[in-house]
Amino acid sequence: MNLKPPANYFILLVFLFTTTTLFGQNTVVNGVITDATNKQPLPFVSVSFIGSTIGVTTNNQGVYTIRSVKPYTQLKVSYLGFKDAVLTVAPGKEQVINVRMAPSSKQLNEVVVKTAKRAKYVNDNPAVELIRKVIANREKNRPEAYDYVEYKEYDKMQFSLSNLSDKVSEKKLFRKYKFMFDNKDSVTYPGKTLLPIYLKERLSQIYYRKHPEATRNVILGEKSVDFGPGFDTEGIGQYFKHLYAKVDIYDNSSLLLGREFLSPIANGAPGSYKYFITDTLMMDNGEKLVQLSFTPRNTNDILFEGDIYITLDGNYAVEKASLNINKNINVNFVRSMHVDQSFALSKDGRYHLSRSNTFADFGFSAKRKAGLFGVRTLTLRNFEINKPRPDTAYIARPELEDEEVKNRPESFWAQNRLDTLSTAEAKVYTNIDSLVHMPSFRRTANLVNLLFAGFKNFGKFEIGPASTFYSFNPVEGLRLRVGGRTTADFSKRYFLEAYGAYGFKDERWKYFLAGTYSLNNKSIYRFPQHYIRASFQRETKIPGQELQFIQEDNILLSFKRGRNDKYLYNDNYRLDYVSEFENHFSYKLGLKKTTQTPTGTLYPFISTQNNIFNHLTTTEASVGLRYAPHEQYYQGKLFRTPIINQYPILTLDFTTGLKNVLGGEYNYSNLSARIDKRFYVAPFGFSDLTAEAGKIFGQVPYPLLNIHRANQTYAYVIDSYNLMNFLEFVSDKSVSFNIDQHFGGYFFNKVPLLKKLKWRETASVKVLYGGLTERNNPSIHPNLYQFPVDENGAPITYALGNTAYVEGSVGIENIFKFIRVDFVKRFTYLDHPGIADWGIRTKIKFDF
């Protein structure tokens, strides 16, 4: 999944303004903790003041130092396998307390296996026999095995800055944020000093019906920190949620960090994992559990390692799971990730998930202790089995956002929260609210917003995007542009947008004016969209280029290969209506009048009868349908970006030209369809597949044909043909498919040097079939515009013939964590003049 700039600057900003510890505390305790049986020092022992969230762990020599400004009187020392120790502390003094810890009376039975040579692992062993029984009973142990299931689910997501240096808090710049620094937690996760900066809670009632299958999630309450207008807090939450997707061990795989991890109890798991019976345990109810440990056969594959505990009651259900991300996996910025799941015995005699806790430690390097620590905890209660409800209970209704749900009083959460907040977590809401109201924080937020998102906020309006202020092209020469738009502070229903640009070579003004009215009282950039929009744009355009994929006046796209001097001046009048539904189906209706005027070497339009046309006017009515089930967005300020998942996106568009309506010159129809789908192919990463088809009905000149998306920049553009020239191919019927494969380091991980660099392999193939019917062939119908030619009369625009256009690439991504470089090769139509049959292209891509 790509990370857009707003999430980058969110993380950067909180790093600038928060830290964890303060100096000058007046209760200080030092000491050494040892094993009472052998007097050896104990590392990583948890030491904390009772009644606080202040805690530390011992170093490798068993030494600890803990301090506080508050008069705590007791110290607790705890370590796995040893009895807890509680000691008295003299408040307000510096003192030395050494501790000898006694082993716990409850110890695991030790099994010692001695062998001269390690036996070769084979699948024919008791552990694999047991796991095959778990797999065979997997479906009946899922809640979905019942006809009806309902339960409450509490979802808590929390992110903290971890282990920041004490020196940060001593800097003059951060002294005013002392209230943030005081709210640290050194107890919950041993070895981590955490400063919570983000918290989101959601309480839901889940209804499931098997026949016909339906699931409904009714949100009962939702609460989140709010970082103010400088950040899209909801979008940040969606991105974090994507990183921490729900893990269902009974699924064949789970999506974490944008990667598909094979479950240790998946159908094909015995071919990817090694299993070992570690222990047999007795539960309080007299049932026996088998502790089954597992490791990847290939430590470079996208697999878990850890333990699962299996019941021996004949159901072979999972009672507990401990899943770790294999440290050898090619993942950026993740030091460790762990998933703990517990299953409780329900009144139906089956084990259902009661708690799932996923936590990860993020950092720029393994050597630096400071970083970001994220936790997502799911708590499930009140299971009701086979209790049918009316059909309306299972139908997901397109309900509008309920402000009451997002503004539940604290008394609601105190009564309904299925988990408890730590002392530090409970203070996050008030601390962040105080932070965002500080002028210094708002000034810094505005500066970072301008640098990373490209906008400068002035309250009711904002100026930007900065990347479009300056650009150049052969027709306009130097081009300067300035623009802006209103914000929600101006109105939640009315949105205005405008820009003006001037080309110093053609000495022409270009501009854009738009007004949008939101029909659901929400920002037009947020899901679900429901608005009507009117706009006018006078602008230059390369024929065939649709700017939903790139912004042509972005300075980074001003550099192009080959000749790039065929442009149009377009006047566009548009009226659009867009409606999205909660089930992610949407439709749009449009009415557009366009006047195209050729410029550069494209001027003028000439028919084969040598008639000259200075412009082309069309009037179009359109309808578009789109269905993207389970789609989520990261919603930035400039655009919203879908978070790609395994579900397909289906699009169908129909446009009809209206002759003699508002000056339209042609009758025609254009029908196009598209499907996008990501396939996870463990252990070979994932593939992004796009298939498109289009057909034009009626006779039209070449500017109205399908001018296939070309790319003459040095950027690698996923949706374009990167070695096709602008205006090179046209058609009135076409079919295409693109495959972009990301191997995730599957091959490079087997080469020591490349594995250390964490480079990843990519490969792509793009194939385009098409053709031109006789009715749109200007050599047969002289009333049609001639295809463009160069100064020598040689053609530069062609109809696709019986041979498909094919290009492919191989590349390396994750260079310096964010650069992709592709070697692109063109395989067909190599006799066309002025083309490049190979090239090196780059793409900026931030990913885990």
Side-chain angles (χ1 to χ4, degrees), residues 12-276:
L12 174 63
L13 193 57
V14 294
F15 264 103
L16 289 173
F17 279 89
T18 52
T19 186
T20 57
T21 56
L22 288 172
F23 226 41
Q25 299 157 332
N26 55 17
T27 298
V28 182
V29 184
N30 302 298
V32 179
I33 299 176
T34 56
D35 186 338
T37 60
N38 56 24
K39 299 182 181 180
Q40 293 297 311
L42 294 175
F44 308 115
V45 178
S46 295
V47 183
S48 61
F49 287 116
I50 293 179
S52 78
T53 60
I54 300 172
V56 297
T57 58
T58 58
N59 62 15
N60 290 333
Q61 289 73 44
V63 176
Y64 75 94
T65 300
I66 186 170
R67 50 173 60 88
S68 174
V69 296
K70 296 183 178 180
Y72 295 115
T73 60
Q74 287 185 308
L75 196 69
K76 181 179 180 180
V77 181
S78 58
Y79 195 55
L80 183 64
F82 289 81
K83 294 180 180 179
D84 291 350
V86 177
L87 305 115
T88 302
V89 174
K93 297 181 180 180
E94 184 170 350
Q95 56 217 278
V96 176
I97 299 179
N98 297 322
V99 183
R100 292 185 179 182
M101 300 196 70
S104 173
S105 58
K106 294 182 180 180
Q107 297 191 39
L108 298 175
N109 293 326
E110 183 175 335
V111 178
V112 179
V113 179
K114 295 183 179 180
T115 178
K117 185 178 180 181
R118 179 180 296 177
K120 183 180 179 181
Y121 179 85
V122 293
N123 259 3
D124 186 15
N125 69 70
V128 175
E129 291 180 13
L130 179 59
I131 204 65
R132 292 194 188 281
K133 291 180 180 179
V134 175
I135 294 171
N137 287 272
R138 192 178 66 176
E139 293 305 317
K140 78 174 186 179
N141 285 315
R142 308 184 67 168
E144 292 81 2
Y146 294 101
D147 291 332
Y148 303 94
V149 179
E150 62 183 79
Y151 55 89
K152 276 190 177 181
E153 178 186 270
Y154 171 70
D155 188 350
K156 180 179 71 173
M157 189 175 300
Q158 184 252 105
F159 279 81
S160 303
L161 298 180
S162 66
N163 297 340
L164 294 187
S165 170
D166 294 353
K167 297 180 181 179
V168 176
S169 61
E170 300 172 13
K171 297 182 180 295
K172 182 179 179 180
L173 179 65
F174 299 109
R175 290 175 186 171
K176 64 182 69 176
Y177 305 105
K178 183 178 182 298
F179 68 94
M180 292 289 298
F181 306 150
D182 286 341
N183 191 38
K184 60 183 180 294
D185 180 354
S186 305
V187 175
T188 306
Y189 292 90
K192 296 292 179 184
T193 301
L194 305 178
L195 176 63
I197 56 171
Y198 178 86
L199 181 64
K200 182 174 183 178
E201 302 174 87
R202 174 180 285 185
L203 182 67
S204 304
Q205 181 74 26
I206 312 296
Y207 297 93
Y208 172 79
R209 182 185 62 196
K210 191 171 186 178
H211 299 294
E213 189 170 23
T215 302
R216 184 182 174 202
N217 185 337
V218 180
I219 301 175
L220 305 176
E222 190 172 79
K223 188 176 184 180
S224 174
V225 299
D226 185 0
F227 290 98
F231 299 97
D232 185 353
T233 305
E234 184 178 341
I236 293 169
Q238 287 283 16
Y239 186 78
F240 286 160
K241 188 176 180 180
H242 173 68
L243 295 180
Y244 284 66
K246 294 179 182 179
V247 175
D248 184 352
I249 196 170
Y250 285 106
D251 277 343
N252 270 321
S253 59
S254 296
L255 190 66
L256 289 171
L257 303 172
R259 284 167 171 75
E260 198 85 357
F261 285 82
L262 187 71
S263 169
I265 63 172
N267 291 331
S272 299
Y273 287 101
K274 297 179 181 180
Y275 300 91
F276 308 91

Side-chain angles (χ1 to χ4, degrees), residues 548-566:
Q548 66 262 33
F549 302 110
I550 57 173
Q551 288 215 5
E552 187 58 38
D553 54 2
N554 187 318
I555 178 60
L556 299 178
L557 299 178
S558 295
F559 302 93
K560 297 181 176 69
R561 63 171 177 83
R563 295 193 62 174
N564 174 39
D565 54 5
K566 295 171 177 58

Side-chain angles (χ1 to χ4, degrees), residues 833-847:
I835 60 99
D837 59 355
W838 68 274
I840 304 295
R841 301 292 180 264
T842 61
K843 179 178 175 64
I844 304 300
K845 180 187 178 186
F846 180 94
D847 199 358

Side-chain angles (χ1 to χ4, degrees), residues 610-734:
N610 290 323
N611 294 324
I612 294 177
F613 300 87
N614 293 320
H615 59 262
L616 170 64
T617 299
T618 57
T619 302
E620 297 177 337
S622 63
V623 57
L625 307 177
R626 185 176 185 271
Y627 182 52
H630 307 286
E631 187 174 40
Q632 294 180 338
Y633 297 97
Y634 177 78
Q635 295 179 290
K637 297 185 72 63
L638 181 59
F639 49 77
R640 67 179 191 180
T641 302
I643 298 173
I644 301 176
N645 54 31
Q646 68 270 36
Y647 299 100
I649 300 175
L650 308 174
T651 307
L652 181 66
D653 292 292
F654 177 77
T655 301
T656 183
L658 305 174
K659 187 176 181 179
N660 299 324
V661 177
L662 301 178
E665 300 174 23
Y666 289 90
N667 280 322
Y668 57 91
S669 296
N670 189 337
L671 180 65
S672 63
R674 173 174 172 140
I675 180 171
D676 295 271
K677 176 76 169 71
R678 171 165 289 183
F679 294 91
Y680 290 93
V681 192
F684 301 104
F686 62 88
S687 299
D688 288 329
L689 172 67
T690 300
E692 292 182 274
K695 173 72 174 176
I696 295 176
F697 303 89
Q699 187 178 71
V700 293
Y702 79 82
L704 302 181
L705 293 173
N706 185 3
I707 303 175
H708 296 287
R709 293 187 298 269
N711 175 33
Q712 287 184 220
T713 73
Y714 295 98
Y716 186 84
V717 180
I718 298 294
D719 242 6
S720 296
Y721 299 97
N722 290 285
L723 292 179
M724 183 186 290
N725 286 346
F726 295 134
L727 257 177
E728 184 177 357
F729 289 104
V730 296
S731 68
D732 59 11
K733 56 182 179 180
S734 63

Side-chain angles (χ1 to χ4, degrees), residues 71 146 227-228 338 397 522 538 581 617 700 799:
Y146 294 101
F227 290 98
H338 190 85
R397 293 192 293 268
K522 294 177 64 173
R538 173 165 291 173
F581 297 90
T617 299
V700 293

